Amino acid sequence: MEHFTNIIGGRSVPAASGRWLPSLDPYRNENWCAIPDSDQADVDAAVDAAAAAFRAPEWAGLSATARGALLRRVGDLIAGNAARLAELEVRDNGKLLNEMLIQLRTIPQWFYYYGGLADKVEGAVLPIERPDHFVYTTWEPLGVVAAITAWNSPLLLLTWKLAPGLAAGNTFVVKPSEFASASTIAFVELFEQAGFPPGVVNVICGTGQGVGAPLVSHPGVAKIAFTGSDAAGKAINKAAAADLKHVTLELGGKSPNIVFADADLEAAAAGVASGIFAAAGQTCIAGSRLLLQRSIYEPFIETLREMARNVKIGDPLDPETQMGPLANLPHYNKVLSCIADARKEGLVVAWGGKAMETATGGLFVEPTIFRDVDNEAELARREVFGPVLAVIPFEDEAEALRIANNSQYGLAAGVWTKDMARAFRMSKGLQSGTVWINTYRALSYMAPFGGVKDSGLGRESGQEMIKSYMQPKTVWLNNSDQRPANPFVMRLA
Ligand code: NAD
């Protein structure tokens, strides 16, 4: 079995304790590699290495232009290693090679984009009403950033943090999910090859309690950039408040995908299927609540049943496969128990609803559709993170909006209609970080992404987000010889 190691200060090292955790290939249902089961000692070593790199002239002395060049170089290396990295991700989390290849081939764009932005963050000279003072601002990096990620798209989620954070001049300790760490280790190795000084990007593997929690409360960490569940996000926010760390939280969702009768129904059906069956529903932006206008209710459900029946399920490495297994055993059990709970609640299955037996013993769950779901039902409220759709009928626009917004979450929403005035009204009314009109699951390095309510705090991607890894400094420069008239009062201008 292959053993992957931590990377601390440029050195590949096992956990100080010598302990290992197995990592599962969910398609074969067998452990395929081992990762370090790190703890406080490894956290301390990694934060020390990142703090030393932050101060060292090899990194702190680089111009923003030089940092940008390094980011572009690592983007090229990632592009050159896309197939290898994508295969590691598939092995670890069972997602489709097709999807992971697209992610890996697009990830370099984030490094090129923020590489270009690195030397375009400008301070200002402030026109203060004091001729004898020259006042200006500069933007400085925060220090050591802890990037903690989920297992569903490890490298994309990490890229959203590393690209702006490194462009801004910070250093990193990365903590990938214990269920899918291998690709992150292979990815971080590329940074040193690109010329980043050792210690600028460190990675330590282990559990949320063993590594994540001590990392969050480590006094040497300035910012936590987190992607994961809302439960862990809230615990992290609380812990980080103890010493006022900066925090960005990208959390879960229960996103409404809203189909009006006037939509292009073929496109809408494809959008609904892509919203819930792509990645076997293991995506934070899953359109897991389908809000369906009553006048098209029955025929649309029939179309969806037909699509679910024809989903090609199997080996995630096969380019023909449309849905792979669930990523790990605890998660597989959670999704099956959500389905069982929904049945107990009396909800009606329109398609699927069972685990699937396969020759490899993989962790497969059928594409599943529950119909006539009340928005108050548990299935409509909790994030399943699996291929399980709750279909909710609505009468008109006002009711659709009311149901859509009646959720603790607000990550994304889809609207399918040909009426652009309605699309505009809906986009204004939806309480959600992203609204897709006649499309779904579309992302870009230029487009800010994140949630409202329990779906998160802060945004990732887009021009402004580089500043979420920086802080302004204001400099007051007195260029006169005059002494203050009264040193005991504040100098306000
Ligand atoms: P999770 O919260 O269980 O774990 C995420 C990461 O946090 C892991 O690395 C884990 O080890 C670590 N962790 C757990 N508890 C911790 C703690 N108390 N302190 C510090 N670290 C801790 O989530 P998961 O099961 O890995 O991922 C699925 C969740 O992630 C879903 O809710 C999904 O919606 C969300 N997600 C959100 C986005 C987004 O961008 N909004 C993207 C992908 C996934």
Side-chain angles (χ1 to χ4, degrees), residues 1 21 88 135 164 221 227 236 249 294 327 347 358 373 441 458:
M1 193 155 68
L21 287 170
L88 280 174
V135 184
V221 170
T227 300
I236 286 171
L249 302 172
R294 276 197 198 279
L347 299 185
T358 59
V373 177
R441 257 186 124 223

Side-chain angles (χ1 to χ4, degrees), residues 237-405:
N237 203 21
K238 217 167 171 183
D243 53 0
L244 304 180
K245 291 184 170 77
H246 298 250
V247 175
T248 310
L249 302 172
E250 293 289 355
L251 311 177
K254 193 77 204 177
S255 300
N257 213 347
I258 308 165
V259 180
F260 287 94
D262 71 345
D264 173 344
L265 295 180
E266 209 176 305
V272 169
S274 110
I276 192 65
F277 300 139
Q282 302 166 108
T283 157
C284 54
I285 47 184
S288 49
R289 286 186 298 153
L290 167 60
L291 275 51
L292 196 50
Q293 197 155 25
R294 276 197 198 279
S295 56
I296 51 161
Y297 196 75
E298 293 302 336
F300 199 91
I301 287 192
E302 202 38 55
T303 307
L304 282 182
R305 279 163 54 93
E306 198 52 32
M307 291 177 99
R309 190 196 325 271
N310 291 320
V311 172
K312 291 196 184 69
I313 296 166
D315 183 350
L317 286 171
D318 182 341
E320 296 295 311
T321 301
Q322 293 172 318
M323 215 179 90
L326 297 187
N328 58 67
L329 199 54
H331 184 59
Y332 171 77
N333 289 330
K334 181 200 141 184
V335 171
L336 289 176
S337 86
C338 287
I339 293 174
D341 290 350
R343 284 186 197 275
K344 268 188 232 143
E345 232 183 328
L347 299 185
V348 180
V349 177
W351 188 260
K354 294 190 298 297
M356 287 179 68
E357 302 288 326
T358 59
T360 60
L363 308 180
F364 288 92
V365 171
E366 290 176 339
T368 297
I369 303 170
F370 281 93
R371 56 171 296 159
D372 312 331
V373 177
D374 188 305
N375 195 51
E376 295 300 325
E378 188 61 13
L379 187 73
R381 308 207 76 77
R382 86 205 252 205
E383 185 186 42
V384 177
F385 216 59
V388 183
L389 183 66
V391 188
I392 304 169
F394 69 87
E395 214 56 62
D396 56 19
E397 196 178 309
E399 192 185 11
L401 197 56
R402 203 164 48 242
I403 295 172
N405 286 342

Side-chain angles (χ1 to χ4, degrees), residues 57-193:
E58 290 80 8
W59 179 246
L62 282 186
S63 67
T65 307
R67 286 200 305 272
L70 286 177
L71 262 86
R72 288 193 292 280
R73 210 172 299 149
V74 85
D76 289 343
L77 279 174
I78 295 163
N81 285 274
R84 181 173 69 89
L85 293 167
E87 277 183 34
L88 280 174
E89 299 224 297
V90 175
R91 199 78 202 273
D92 237 359
N93 68 7
K95 284 180 84 173
L96 299 189
L97 183 62
N98 274 350
E99 164 135 341
M100 295 338 254
L101 269 178
I102 288 176
Q103 286 193 9
L104 261 300
R105 287 183 182 140
T106 316
I107 279 172
Q109 297 300 334
W110 267 267
F111 289 96
Y112 301 147
Y113 181 76
Y114 284 105
L117 260 181
D119 59 6
K120 290 163 195 72
V121 179
E122 296 172 347
V125 174
L126 307 179
I128 298 284
E129 274 201 24
R130 271 174 196 269
D132 54 354
H133 279 67
F134 183 72
V135 184
Y136 64 92
T137 57
T138 57
W139 285 87
E140 299 184 338
L142 301 175
V144 176
V145 179
I148 303 177
T149 52
W151 43 259
N152 61 327
S153 291
L155 299 186
L156 188 66
L157 304 176
L158 178 57
T159 291
W160 294 353
K161 299 160 180 50
L162 280 180
L166 291 172
N170 299 282
T171 58
F172 274 82
V173 177
V174 177
K175 192 277 196 230
S177 165
E178 56 273 40
F179 296 110
S181 293
S183 63
T184 298
I185 294 160
F187 190 73
V188 167
E189 283 168 358
L190 299 178
F191 285 74
E192 213 172 319
Q193 283 179 38

